[in-house]
Amino acid sequence: MIERIIIIEKTDPVTLYGVNNANMQLVRNLFSKLRIAARGSVIKVIGEDAETAQFEKTIRQLENHAAEFNRLTEEAILDIVHGEAPRDIKQDEAIIYGVNGKPIIGRTPNQQKLVETIATHDLTFALGPAGTGKTYIAIAMAVRMLKNKEVRRLILSRPAVEAGEKLGFLPGDMKDKIDPYLQPLYDALEDMIPAMKLREYMETKTIQIAPLAFMRGRTLNDAVIVLDEAQNTTTHQIKMFLTRLGMNAKMIITGDITQIDLPRSTQSGLIQALRVLRDVKGIGKIEFGKKDIIRHALVQRIVEAYEAFDNEKEETPHKPEASAPSTDE
């Protein structure tokens, strides 16, 4: 009799073990001759050498499956234990599988083009209105490259510019004040990476989320760097950001030039960068439109209504409002 110790590193143990340890109980039943104890990320197994070796091999296969698809079903466990390919894998072009096994795919032609462009270019601009999925797809591609060990780090950034409201008087330290600006990036990551694994990535700085000002002075090698809301960068900020690109790195810049929150006297760095870099080879650019909006159906109608309103306002000359009639006699 020997004892083997197996450390789970690639996936969240909760995903592997299942709700109320249901997956682990099934594995115990399938390897009934072995004594198996699982606690946290450590599995101990006692039994004959050949059987414990087969058990470890099976656990590694289950771990790899859970890490790739962010789920582990009873059907997949039975197939893997019996030496077959899991039948619950969906045959589609998923970028990655999100939490609970939800496939994240390019749902519109432009989203699919963005996937291809990011794969073939070291610098990609993704432009378009809210709800087109440009940031979500960019982060999904970054997470895939991190999972596939194509890069060592994932760095997400945004300029800390208010969209009409002031956060400076909120209580807390610098992180507490800045986090509200970065919350959309956290939301996307939480859809794609199990909570425990995401916490580990953040603690080890494998995934870093920081405002744009924190990028100054850094050279970012072996990384995917995503800049969101780039329309709110100044010309100096985006030049500084673009020159952070290091060896074996990819940079993805997303923005919507119709939603600039900078002071009227400040030029958007994104608009300038697109003009300056338009003839530079090796840079990809995908432009999204209203047809790519995949949020609630009302979002597309809202975007169209505001466009029509803005166009009407530009075409109609401004007329001063008539003064109210006097009530004095």
Side-chain angles (χ1 to χ4, degrees), residues 32-328:
S32 57
K33 294 182 180 179
L34 300 177
R35 291 169 54 193
I36 302 166
R39 183 182 295 274
S41 59
V42 178
I43 300 176
K44 293 182 180 180
V45 57
I46 299 174
E48 298 297 330
D49 187 24
E51 291 181 355
T52 57
Q54 181 59 41
F55 174 82
E56 181 174 8
K57 178 182 176 182
T58 300
I59 288 296
R60 292 304 180 199
Q61 290 174 317
L62 296 175
E63 179 187 13
N64 290 337
H65 182 89
E68 181 174 358
F69 299 101
N70 274 329
R71 66 173 180 179
L72 185 60
T73 64
E74 180 180 325
E75 292 78 11
I77 294 172
L78 292 171
D79 287 339
I80 289 172
V81 170
H82 295 142
E84 301 173 3
R87 289 166 292 180
D88 70 336
I89 298 176
K90 295 182 179 179
Q91 299 299 319
D92 56 30
E93 298 179 356
I95 301 169
I96 56 171
Y97 287 80
V99 175
N100 298 324
K102 179 183 71 173
I104 296 172
I105 62 175
R107 294 170 58 182
T108 69
N110 276 332
Q111 287 188 358
Q112 293 166 5
K113 286 180 184 176
L114 179 58
V115 171
E116 296 168 4
T117 303
I118 291 171
T120 55
H121 294 75
D122 288 339
L123 174 58
T124 300
F125 288 90
L127 314 170
T132 52
K134 56 189 184 296
T135 301
Y136 201 76
I137 294 296
I139 293 177
M141 287 293 290
V143 170
R144 183 174 79 173
M145 285 183 269
L146 181 64
K147 280 191 167 187
N148 292 344
K149 300 188 184 304
E150 297 172 40
V151 294
R152 292 189 297 107
R153 291 182 295 169
L154 171 52
I155 300 167
L156 310 180
S157 186
R158 264 186 158 205
V161 175
E162 293 101 338
E165 69 280 354
K166 300 290 183 181
L167 297 174
F169 293 102
L170 288 175
D173 58 16
M174 179 65 73
K175 183 178 185 300
D176 294 328
K177 293 177 184 292
I178 288 172
D179 270 358
Y181 295 105
L182 307 176
Q183 191 58 48
L185 305 179
Y186 287 108
D187 291 343
L189 288 173
E190 287 167 359
D191 275 357
M192 301 174 193
I193 303 174
M196 187 177 295
K197 192 67 179 176
L198 178 56
R199 195 178 310 117
E200 177 190 326
Y201 279 148
M202 300 289 285
E203 289 173 355
T204 59
K205 298 188 182 299
T206 301
I207 293 180
Q208 301 172 35
I209 302 179
L212 183 58
F214 285 48
M215 297 296 108
R216 187 174 299 278
R218 305 179 67 183
T219 299
L220 304 173
N221 298 315
D222 295 310
V224 182
I225 312 107
V226 179
L227 174 61
D228 189 32
E229 299 288 347
Q231 77 275 4
N232 288 330
T233 60
T234 66
T235 55
H236 295 294
Q237 284 176 329
I238 200 161
K239 180 181 177 183
M240 176 273 293
F241 182 82
L242 289 168
T243 54
R244 301 307 96 197
L245 185 65
M247 301 300 293
N248 188 40
K250 282 183 182 285
M251 188 172 279
I252 309 166
I253 297 176
T254 71
D256 177 5
I257 58 175
T258 68
Q259 290 189 348
I260 297 173
D261 300 313
L262 295 167
R264 289 185 179 275
S265 60
T266 304
Q267 182 182 6
S268 167
L270 177 60
I271 293 176
Q272 185 196 65
L274 292 170
R275 186 165 60 247
V276 170
L277 302 176
R278 64 181 179 273
D279 296 325
V280 176
K281 294 182 179 180
I283 297 176
K285 184 176 78 170
I286 301 295
E287 296 188 39
F288 292 81
K290 295 187 295 292
K291 292 182 180 179
D292 295 299
I293 293 175
I294 54 174
R295 289 181 182 170
H296 194 289
L298 273 176
V299 174
Q300 183 171 340
R301 296 176 207 158
I302 290 169
V303 170
E304 291 171 348
Y306 269 94
E307 284 185 354
F309 175 79
D310 290 339
N311 292 336
E312 181 181 345
K313 189 167 62 174
E314 290 175 3
E315 294 171 2
T316 304
H318 178 71
K319 294 181 180 179
E321 295 182 3
S323 59
S326 172
T327 57
D328 295 336

